[in-house]
């Protein structure tokens, strides 16, 4: 989105020691790269140099994004177990038909590829609960952090730091707490309750999948919302106070509307990331119990890689469908951010 | 503070508890919420760290003790092995510390370390172990020696460092081209970058695998390093920043007979340091934590990165939580340290760019 | 050092033509100033010469060699930007040596040249500072120093003094003149400021709407403006332009304009007066006085008198025009030379 830190002096805000090291090695690199690049410029002329600068990145994009998209589409309409497209027989829309072949779309069991539909159902459930919880908690946290409390920086850091953790680490931390003889069950039994086998009960497993995701990522969204809150000028509140507006009404009529653009961005980002969720949930529950927390991406991953028979065609078709959904969501996001920027 | 005169109810509610004013219920609620937050956010990590120092036996205890504890032992004259120490409530109600020789059914044979000659028979339920705090450092050292944990650490380091360098170089080059020049096909290139923004690697896993196979990278670290090196977010972030560099500087450099490459390397790159630093931190974070793609492409154990190794361990070593916990801490530690030092920088970078 | 030749230079941005055919030839060692109203294309012309903009048509020769298609970095010119464009991450020394490094000059030679330029510009004490730690005047001198060390074929300046305060401007202007005398390079200088133009230039090029209105020495332009535009543009306060009508000769009956500079309007006896004016405003500058007056039909007339004046607003004053200093312009605005027999004063 928009503006970063703007100071074109020495990189004062950056870690200066690291910057010094980088400049040092950059200078050495310069001595190495300058003569050949100068020769290139002499050869093709200064006006064509932008293509040279663009080239490496485009090669990477081409090899690892554009080409794979094409291959993926080819995969989705070809069969067999071969990886190389030319060795795969054309099967038309068979994979799509198989994925979409359902007695009733409300009943995963009635579908030919019931695992896919279970994944879709789980992802939907996950997405809905996670969106509500994420927005609610990050909004409340942002509102609280926006008050001039003592140690605001510390508290902001506290909520933020799990964002940086590896999903695997996050999942293991919670797995350790939620296991049968874990901390939570110890607390429960000490309080006179019964042990609960959280990962054996489908409902609990989904609850913790959502909980852990919110735990890990809410700091990020809190930051975005906090930035939005801090951009609301103070005198707006003071004016409202002079008018004798009641607190709830101020929140409803001033804070919320002015924060709305940020809130919208958060909503869409959470949505996009929920639809793609995999890592944390996979390590936390393994998709279980049974298939209770198996998400669409896990379905794609298993179908293509983890199953005995690697079915790239089916996985390809499923990812094309997922890609279509993400495409629409991202368009919405771009539209919203552009509107916010202007 | 400007609003001294207006310490009304509302501003207290929405903004602040000002100095001197008495505590409003919303202040109490705020601090309570934050305290709970600290517990919920820090607690699990602290628990992980504490647990990682427990011996396997201590890990099996239920309910678990808060701190890593181990049973104390004493050497007693006449016994070759050190004996476990217990606190025993005697029949007369007095409490003595005795070492246990052996246990037979519900009766334990104990000996007083001060009078090693005489054994005492005590019902087993009359004794409680004497414990002291003990850090099971071997949880950390064993994996390093036994499971080649250092190799995973090194793999992760190599991937993170090399990938971040490549990302910084090629993304800044592209951003430079897209911010400083006007050229035919520029909007097409921009469109391509935006396009890739929408394609997470999750949905093109198999085809990327194919490409990587064809390039001969499977089961080498390059397979993880290269595919994610060109990031659209990085290009955007840097371009946005480079657009704010005055055009005069570029033209001055041209008048100074600098080649276009030199302008990039000597003028634009140094001036983009703040943005480069933000991207570097992001890239380190992405690479250190990356999971799904390495999981798919790194099948040989020798090339596993930390997250993959951790995941494999939790599959294989269900019972060996003590190692798993310690390795989780090791994985988390670098990130925690980076965060501790660059907290302000990272949060402002993220708040300003809206990416992670 | 070198001469410059522009032939038929045109520059369009999309549909708008900014330069509409510029022909100009500049001799080696000459100091040429471009003046003209804002937006007339001065900067564009300078950037075209520099190679920072491509031309739509026409060609550019430096020292007899065509450079039209050559990139800026290959033309061997140096430019001082209005914003100075100092590299903020480099010290003064690095700023000045950057170009020399780019040219692959040996380290010792670079140091020698930078030191020489720094001495010339009184920058020796600041060589290790970054631009942010310099005053406006010092930055300006660094920008000039960056050009000097290069020993370029031609120096280009785009309003280099416009960011300085009035006093510093005057001082730097004198230094620039001294500098040109000392190093004698070919210099092309864009400015808004008439005094800069008059004092610095060997020749002034007056631009308007993408065309050259007149080229000449400062006094040429002042004494013999080729047209109404130049007449009105050069000189401060502006030349008085009085609408008249030709009464004799072939073109009798057509509209014309009579020009007279404020210093050439003299108060006089009623009997020999050309006009009688009423004073609207008196500006006393101490050494001279400006009288802003209106004549018949409310025609404004500015008068410059030496010394101080006792006249006041509302006074009525008979004035006469110095016959040797009348400028006559025909209906198309071009100067009439030799002067056709002219009219009476406005009626
Ligand atoms: N990149 C561009 N695209 C379109 N029009 C431009 C561009 N650059 C300049 N122009 C137009 O060209 C005309 C001349 O601009 P130029 O900068 O040369 O004026 P100038 O004489 O230097 O004015 P000033 O004295 O205000 O600096 C202006 O009308 C300007 O709007
Ligand atoms: Mg200009």
């Amino acid at each position: 989105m928009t503006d970063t830190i703007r100071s074109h002096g020495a990189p004062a805000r950056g870690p200066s020691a690291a910057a010094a090291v980088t400049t040092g090695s950059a200078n050495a690199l310069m001595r190495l790269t300058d003569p050949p690049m100068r020769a290139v410029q002499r050869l093709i002329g200064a006006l064509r140099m932008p293509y040279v600068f663009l080239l490496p990145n485009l090669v990477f994009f081409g090899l690892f994004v554009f080409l794979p998209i094409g291959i993926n589409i080819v995969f989705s309409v070809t069969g067999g177990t071969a990886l190389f497209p030319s060795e795969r027989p054309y099967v038309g829309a068979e994979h799509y038909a198989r994925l979409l072949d359902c007695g009733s779309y409300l009943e995963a069991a009635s579908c030919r590829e019931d695992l896919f539909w279970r994944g879709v159902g789980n992802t939907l459930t996950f997405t809905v609960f996670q969106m509500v919880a994420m927005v609610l908690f990050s909004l409340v946290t942002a509102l609280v952090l926006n008050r001039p409390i003592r140690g605001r920086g510390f508290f902001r850091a506290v909520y933020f730091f799990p964002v940086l953790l590896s999903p695997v680490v996050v999942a293991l931390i919670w797995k350790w707490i939620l296991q049968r003889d874990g901390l939570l069950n110890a607390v429960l039994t000490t309080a006179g309750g019964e042990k609960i086998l959280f990962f054996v009960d489908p409902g609990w497993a989904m609850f913790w999948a959502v909980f852990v995701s919110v735990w890990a990522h809410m700091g990020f969204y809190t930051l975005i919302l906090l930035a939005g809150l801090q951009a609301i000028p103070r005198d707006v509140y003071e004016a409202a106070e002079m008018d004798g507006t009641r607190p709830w009404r101020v929140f409803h009529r001033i804070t919320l509307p002015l924060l709305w653009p940020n809130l919208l961005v958060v909503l869409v980002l959470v949505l996009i990331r929920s639809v793609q969720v995999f890592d944390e949930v996979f390590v936390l529950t393994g998709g279980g119990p049974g298939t209770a927390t198996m998400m669409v991406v896990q379905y794609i991953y298993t179908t293509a890689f983890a199953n005995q028979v690697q079915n790239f065609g089916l996985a390809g078709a499923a990812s094309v469908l997922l890609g279509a959904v993400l495409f629409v969501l991202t368009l919405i996001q771009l539209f919203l951010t552009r509107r916010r920027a202007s | 503070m400007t609003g001294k005169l207006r310490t009304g109810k509302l501003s207290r509610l929405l903004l602040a508890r000002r100095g001197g004013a008495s505590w409003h219920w919303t202040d109490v609620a705020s601090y309570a919420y934050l305290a709970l937050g600290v517990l919920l956010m820090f607690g699990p990590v602290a628990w992980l760290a504490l647990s990682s120092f427990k011996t396997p036996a201590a890990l099996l205890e239920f309910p678990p003790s808060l701190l890593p504890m181990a049973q104390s032992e004493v050497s007693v004259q006449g016994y070759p092995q050190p004996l476990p120490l217990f606190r025993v409530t005697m029949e007369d109600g007095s409490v003595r510390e005795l070492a246990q020789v052996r246990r037979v059914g519900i009766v334990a044979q104990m000996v007083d370390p001060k009078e090693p000659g005489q054994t005492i028979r005590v019902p087993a339920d009359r004794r409680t172990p004497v414990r002291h705090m003990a850090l099971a450092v071997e949880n950390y050292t064993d994996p390093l020696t036994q499971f080649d944990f250092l190799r995973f650490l090194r793999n992760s380091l190599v991937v993170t460092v090399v990938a971040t360098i490549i990302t910084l170089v090629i993304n800044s080059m592209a951003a430079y081209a897209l911010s400083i020049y006007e050229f035919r096909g520029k909007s097409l290139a921009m469109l391509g970058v935006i396009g890739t923004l929408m394609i997470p690697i999750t949905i093109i896993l198999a085809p990327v695998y194919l490409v990587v196979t064809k390039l001969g990278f499977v089961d080498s670290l390059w397979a993880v390093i290269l595919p994610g090196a060109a990031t659209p977010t990085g290009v955007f972030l840097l371009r946005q920043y480079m657009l704010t560099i005055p055009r005069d500087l570029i033209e001055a450099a041209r008048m100074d007979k600098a080649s276009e490459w030199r302008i990039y390397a000597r003028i634009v790159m140094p001036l983009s340091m703040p943005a480069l630093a933000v991207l570097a931190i992001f890239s380190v974070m992405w690479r250190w934590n990356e999971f799904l793609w390495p999981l798919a492409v790194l099948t040989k154990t020798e090339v596993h990165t930390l997250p993959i190794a951790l995941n494999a361990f939790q599959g294989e070593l269900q019972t060996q939580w003590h190692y798993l916990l310690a390795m989780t801490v090791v994985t988390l530690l670098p990130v925690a340290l980076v965060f501790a030092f660059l907290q302000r920088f990272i949060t402002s970078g993220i708040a300003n760019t809206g990416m992670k | 050092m070198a001469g410059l030749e522009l032939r038929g230079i045109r520059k369009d941005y999309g549909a708008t033509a900014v330069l509409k055919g510029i022909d100009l030839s500049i001799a080696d060692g000459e100091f040429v100033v471009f003046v003209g109203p804002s937006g007339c294309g001065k900067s564009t012309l300078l950037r075209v010469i520099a190679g920072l903009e491509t031309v739509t048509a026409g060609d550019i020769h430096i020292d007899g060699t065509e450079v039209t298609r050559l990139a800026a970095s290959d033309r061997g010119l140096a430019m001082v930007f209005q914003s100075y464009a100092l590299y903020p991450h480099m010290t003064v020394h690095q700023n000045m040596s950057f170009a020399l490094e780019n040219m692959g000059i040996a380290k010792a030679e670079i140091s020698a040249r930078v030191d020489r330029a720094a001495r010339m510009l009184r920058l020796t004490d600041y060589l290790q500072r970054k631009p942010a730690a310099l005053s406006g005047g010092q930055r300006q001198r660094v920008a000039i120093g960056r050009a000097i060390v290069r020993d370029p074929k031609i120096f280009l300046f785009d309003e280099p003094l416009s960011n300085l305060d009035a006093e510093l401007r005057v001082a730097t202007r004198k230094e620039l003149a001294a500098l040109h005398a000392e190093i004698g390079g070919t210099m092309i200088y864009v400015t808004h400021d008439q005094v800069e133009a008059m004092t610095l230039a060997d020749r002034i090029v007056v631009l308007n709407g993408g065309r050259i209105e007149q080229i000449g020495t400062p006094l040429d332009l002042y004494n013999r403006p080729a047209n109404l535009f130049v007449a009105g543009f050069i000189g401060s306060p502006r030349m008085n332009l009085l609408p008249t009508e030709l009464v004799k000769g072939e073109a009798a009956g057509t509209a014309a304009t009579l020009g007279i500079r404020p210093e050439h309007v003299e108060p006089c006896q009623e009997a020999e007066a050309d006009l009688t004016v009423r004073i609207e405003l008196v500006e006393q500058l101490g050494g001279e006085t400006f009288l802003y007056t209106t004549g018949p039909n409310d025609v404004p007339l500015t008068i410059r008198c030496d010394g101080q004046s006792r006249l006041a607003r509302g006074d009525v004053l008979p004035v006469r025009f110095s016959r040797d200093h009348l400028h006559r312009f025909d209906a198309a605005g071009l100067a009439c030379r030799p002067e056709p027999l002219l009219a009476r004063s406005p009626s």
Side-chain angles (χ1 to χ4, degrees):
Chain A
M1 297 168 214
T2 51
D3 48 346
T4 32
I5 327 101
R6 217 159 273 179
S7 74
H8 291 293
R13 315 219 189 151
S16 55
V21 173
T22 350
T23 1
S25 48
N27 279 348
L29 211 67
M30 186 69 221
R31 267 191 292 282
L32 267 174
T33 51
D34 195 29
M37 292 305 279
R38 200 168 259 264
V40 170
Q41 180 172 343
R42 204 163 305 130
L43 200 68
I44 65 168
L47 289 182
R48 295 206 190 84
M49 281 308 279
Y51 300 107
V52 175
F53 283 102
L54 216 47
L55 190 69
N57 219 54
L58 282 190
V59 167
F60 276 77
F61 278 156
L63 272 180
F64 300 116
V65 182
F66 299 129
L67 181 64
I69 292 173
I71 298 176
N72 205 25
I73 292 170
V74 174
F75 273 171
S76 72
V77 294
T78 53
T81 54
L83 185 57
F84 202 63
S86 64
E87 295 158 18
R88 298 171 58 88
Y90 179 74
V91 295
E94 186 187 291
H95 295 306
Y96 293 99
R98 180 165 162 195
L99 284 176
L100 299 176
D101 179 9
C102 276
S104 151
Y105 284 110
L106 296 177
E107 183 59 62
S110 72
C111 297
R112 179 134 161 255
E113 239 350 86
D114 59 332
L115 282 183
F116 174 70
W117 287 101
R118 261 181 243 278
V120 171
N122 290 338
T123 308
L124 269 180
T125 316
F126 179 87
T127 302
V128 169
F129 283 111
Q130 136 127 339
M131 272 178 79
V132 173
M134 190 77 90
V135 170
L136 205 66
F137 282 109
S138 44
L139 181 60
V140 170
T141 311
L143 284 171
V144 171
L145 285 178
N146 194 38
R147 300 161 56 97
I149 37 173
R150 247 170 237 280
R152 184 197 305 180
F154 167 75
F155 287 116
R156 196 179 54 178
V158 163
Y159 283 96
F160 180 76
F161 89 94
V163 171
L164 301 178
L165 298 182
S166 160
V168 180
V169 169
V170 168
L172 286 178
I173 287 174
W174 283 98
K175 209 170 167 165
W176 174 240
I177 289 174
L178 298 174
Q179 56 134 340
R180 195 167 60 95
D181 296 329
L183 183 62
L184 189 56
N185 271 327
V187 172
L188 279 181
T189 45
T190 316
E194 291 275 308
K195 276 191 188 177
I196 303 176
L197 301 181
F198 293 111
F199 296 122
V200 173
D201 180 283
W204 276 117
M206 183 58 90
F207 170 84
W208 287 112
V210 172
F211 179 93
V212 170
S213 288
V214 172
W215 183 85
H217 300 295
M218 67 173 281
F220 174 68
Y221 301 104
T222 302
L223 271 189
I224 296 186
L225 292 180
L226 191 57
L229 283 175
Q230 284 172 347
I232 300 176
R234 215 194 148 75
D235 45 9
V236 174
Y237 287 118
E238 290 174 346
E241 186 170 336
M242 298 304 281
D243 295 344
T245 322
R246 297 181 62 81
W248 168 250
R249 214 174 135 69
V250 170
F251 176 74
H252 188 67
R253 301 298 298 272
I254 296 177
T255 312
L256 218 47
L258 289 176
L259 191 61
W260 187 239
N262 289 55
L263 212 52
L264 219 57
V265 168
V266 165
L267 271 171
V268 180
L269 279 180
V270 175
L271 181 61
I272 290 177
R273 285 179 185 158
S274 303
V275 171
Q276 295 180 55
V277 69
F278 172 72
D279 311 11
E280 285 127 355
V281 181
F282 179 68
V283 181
L284 188 70
T285 68
T291 54
T293 53
M294 189 197 68
M295 306 293 164
V296 176
V297 173
Q298 191 189 337
Y299 169 82
I300 296 175
Y301 169 74
T302 343
T303 313
F305 288 98
N307 279 352
Q308 293 292 338
V309 183
Q310 304 196 325
N311 194 337
F312 296 121
L314 202 57
S319 45
V320 168
L321 294 180
L322 178 60
V325 172
L326 287 173
F327 182 80
V328 173
L329 293 180
T330 312
L331 279 189
I332 295 175
Q333 186 218 345
L334 282 180
F335 174 73
L336 291 178
T337 40
R338 173 133 333 159
R339 214 177 52 175
R340 189 177 72 145
S342 61
Chain B
M1 292 259 146
T2 51
K4 257 214 177 103
L5 291 175
R6 301 178 185 163
T7 323
K9 235 191 225 155
L10 175 62
S11 64
R12 217 162 48 211
L13 189 68
L14 281 158
L15 294 165
R17 194 181 67 75
R18 299 276 163 57
S22 65
W23 282 66
H24 191 257
W25 68 266
T26 52
D27 300 314
V28 180
S30 296
Y31 280 103
Y33 181 83
L34 292 172
L36 186 72
V38 173
L39 187 72
L40 261 179
M41 305 314 272
F42 266 160
V45 179
W47 180 241
L48 169 81
L50 286 174
S51 304
S52 74
F53 284 105
K54 288 181 177 174
T55 58
L59 285 176
L60 284 177
E61 265 171 38
F62 188 88
S65 62
L66 187 63
L67 297 173
M69 295 293 198
Q71 180 152 31
S72 305
E73 295 181 329
V74 281
S75 311
V76 182
Q77 221 173 16
Y79 299 90
Q81 303 280 325
L83 299 177
L85 201 60
F86 286 86
R87 191 169 285 119
V88 180
T89 316
M90 307 304 285
E91 258 154 45
D92 58 4
S94 67
V95 177
R96 292 175 69 183
E97 273 191 12
L98 299 176
Q100 175 174 291
V101 180
R102 73 175 70 84
R103 181 180 163 187
V104 185
I106 58 158
V107 179
Q109 274 184 28
M110 317 284 287
V111 62
D112 190 331
K114 283 169 217 126
E115 303 163 45
Q118 170 196 9
T119 54
I120 311 164
R121 297 166 66 85
V122 179
D125 57 355
R126 289 260 165 156
R127 20 143 254 173
T128 51
V130 173
R131 312 203 311 161
H132 64 279
M133 208 167 110
L135 300 181
V137 181
E138 59 277 11
N139 291 351
Y140 287 84
T141 51
D142 284 357
L144 295 181
T145 50
Q146 285 173 26
F147 312 123
D148 221 0
F149 191 67
L150 269 184
R151 177 193 286 271
F152 306 135
L153 195 66
R154 211 198 56 212
N155 286 344
S156 264
L157 271 178
V158 169
V159 166
T160 303
V161 170
V162 176
T164 297
I165 290 173
I166 296 181
T167 298
L168 287 180
V169 171
I170 66 175
N171 283 6
S172 62
M173 282 170 70
Y176 172 68
L178 292 173
S179 58
I180 305 296
Y181 298 94
E182 294 300 327
F183 56 94
R184 196 186 292 258
K186 180 175 175 176
S187 26
L188 191 71
M190 283 299 291
L191 207 69
V193 176
I194 295 180
T196 55
L197 199 61
M198 308 182 187
I199 315 293
I201 198 163
T202 26
I203 67 169
I204 45 172
L205 222 48
V208 177
Y209 185 77
L210 170 65
V211 171
V212 166
T213 317
K214 283 287 149 196
L215 293 172
F217 290 144
V218 164
D219 281 331
S220 92
L221 292 179
W222 290 113
V224 184
I225 292 172
L226 294 180
T231 68
T233 15
V235 174
F236 269 130
L237 170 76
L238 293 176
R239 183 180 114 94
Q240 214 64 35
Y241 195 83
M242 288 177 184
L243 284 175
T244 67
I245 296 177
R247 298 292 297 215
D248 276 3
L249 287 183
I250 312 295
E251 296 184 337
R254 280 200 188 120
M255 295 307 291
D256 275 349
K257 295 175 118 352
S259 64
E260 302 303 309
W261 176 259
R262 230 176 144 76
I263 296 175
Y264 158 76
R266 294 289 305 275
I267 309 286
V268 174
M269 284 295 265
L271 290 179
S272 305
M273 262 316 166
L276 285 169
V278 171
L279 179 59
I281 289 170
F282 283 140
S283 171
V284 166
M285 206 165 86
W286 294 330
R287 292 332 189 95
W288 188 261
N289 297 338
E290 196 176 14
F291 181 64
L292 176 60
W293 171 243
L295 183 68
V297 78
L298 300 178
T299 51
K300 285 218 186 80
T301 319
E302 305 94 81
V303 287
H304 277 182
T305 54
L306 275 180
I308 309 306
L310 272 188
N311 184 54
F313 265 85
Q314 67 131 2
E316 286 166 23
L317 313 173
Q318 274 301 3
T319 48
Q320 306 207 22
W321 269 103
H322 55 300
Y323 291 150
L324 189 59
L325 294 174
M327 286 185 290
T328 308
V329 171
V330 172
T331 311
L332 165 160
L333 212 57
V335 177
L337 286 180
V338 167
F339 181 67
F341 286 112
L342 301 179
Q343 192 257 114
R344 224 153 248 294
F345 194 64
I346 295 174
T347 44
S348 70
I350 286 179
N352 286 327
T353 58
M355 61 182 231
K356 68 167 179 172
Chain C
M1 273 176 261
L4 173 79
E5 177 109 17
L6 303 177
R7 291 190 202 133
I9 297 292
R10 307 179 60 85
K11 172 73 189 173
D12 302 340
Y13 285 112
T16 49
V18 175
L19 299 178
K20 301 168 183 163
I22 303 279
D23 293 286
L24 177 65
S25 146
I26 295 174
D28 189 0
E30 206 175 0
F31 198 126
V32 171
V33 175
F34 293 170
V35 293
S38 186
C40 69
K42 306 179 294 286
S43 298
T44 309
L45 183 56
L46 198 72
R47 293 163 53 80
V48 160
I49 295 171
L52 294 171
E53 304 282 353
T54 55
V55 295
T56 310
D59 43 51
I60 307 165
H61 300 258
I62 295 175
D63 255 352
T65 323
E66 165 148 24
V67 296
T68 320
R69 306 266 155 249
L70 227 51
S73 53
D74 298 328
R75 291 194 188 181
L77 315 182
M79 180 148 163
V80 176
F81 290 78
Q82 181 172 10
S83 64
Y84 312 147
L86 301 181
Y87 311 122
H89 58 301
M90 297 185 189
T91 61
V92 170
H93 189 284
Q94 289 167 330
N95 261 284
M96 294 212 266
S97 55
F98 183 65
L100 302 177
E101 283 167 24
N102 292 339
M103 294 155 81
I105 290 175
K107 274 234 162 64
E109 165 80 8
I110 292 180
S111 285
R113 285 214 214 170
V114 169
D115 288 344
R116 186 150 21 97
R119 255 197 319 280
M120 203 188 292
L121 295 165
R122 288 174 288 116
L123 286 170
T124 313
D125 294 341
Y126 309 109
L127 281 177
Q128 295 316 318
R129 290 210 199 159
K130 293 215 171 134
L134 297 178
S135 72
Q138 289 162 344
R139 283 180 212 176
Q140 214 284 329
R141 296 208 296 274
V142 175
I144 293 176
R146 206 166 59 173
I148 291 178
V149 291
R150 292 258 319 270
D151 196 10
K153 291 187 187 146
I154 300 175
F155 290 89
L156 307 174
F157 299 87
D158 192 353
E159 307 198 28
L161 307 186
S162 61
N163 283 335
L164 300 179
D165 63 47
E167 203 174 326
L168 208 50
R169 245 181 200 206
V170 175
T172 317
R173 194 177 75 211
K174 287 186 191 144
E175 284 175 19
L176 263 177
L179 195 74
H180 181 236
E182 185 174 345
I183 60 179
T186 311
M187 296 188 174
I188 303 178
Y189 188 105
V190 167
T191 182
H192 266 121
D193 187 319
Q194 291 202 23
V195 185
E196 277 173 36
M198 298 297 284
T199 52
L200 287 171
D202 292 328
R203 279 196 301 159
I204 294 178
V205 176
V206 183
L207 286 165
N208 184 31
R211 289 205 175 80
I212 294 181
E213 295 281 352
Q214 188 175 2
I215 307 175
T217 63
L219 290 183
D220 248 0
L221 260 51
Y222 192 84
N223 294 333
R224 279 186 295 282
N227 51 42
L228 272 178
F229 178 81
V230 179
F233 193 77
I234 301 283
S236 173
R238 293 164 52 104
M239 181 188 284
N240 296 302
L241 296 171
L242 312 171
T244 53
E245 193 175 290
L246 292 177
V247 290
K248 282 188 196 164
E250 279 172 36
T254 53
T257 307
L258 182 71
I260 182 86
R261 295 211 180 266
E263 62 267 37
H264 299 135
V265 182
E266 301 148 1
C268 63
Q269 300 300 317
E270 198 122 7
E272 47 189 16
D274 289 321
L275 276 181
T276 304
V277 296
R278 218 173 51 132
I279 297 177
E280 301 290 342
L281 179 68
V282 180
E283 276 184 358
Q284 301 266 18
L285 298 184
E288 58 190 349
T289 304
F290 296 122
L291 307 174
Y292 297 95
T293 68
T294 49
N297 294 342
D298 279 346
V299 175
L301 191 79
T302 310
I303 304 169
R304 175 173 174 272
C305 317
D306 286 336
Q308 301 169 5
S309 169
R310 289 222 193 90
L311 293 166
R313 185 189 150 93
D315 289 355
V316 173
L317 188 69
V319 294
R320 67 185 297 274
F321 300 157
S322 159
R323 287 297 182 270
D324 296 341
H325 296 101
L326 282 176
H327 303 266
R328 299 158 178 98
F329 302 94
D330 64 18
L334 296 177
C336 306
R337 250 178 238 129
E339 290 111 38
L341 288 171
L342 225 255
R344 300 181 309 121
S345 41
S347 46

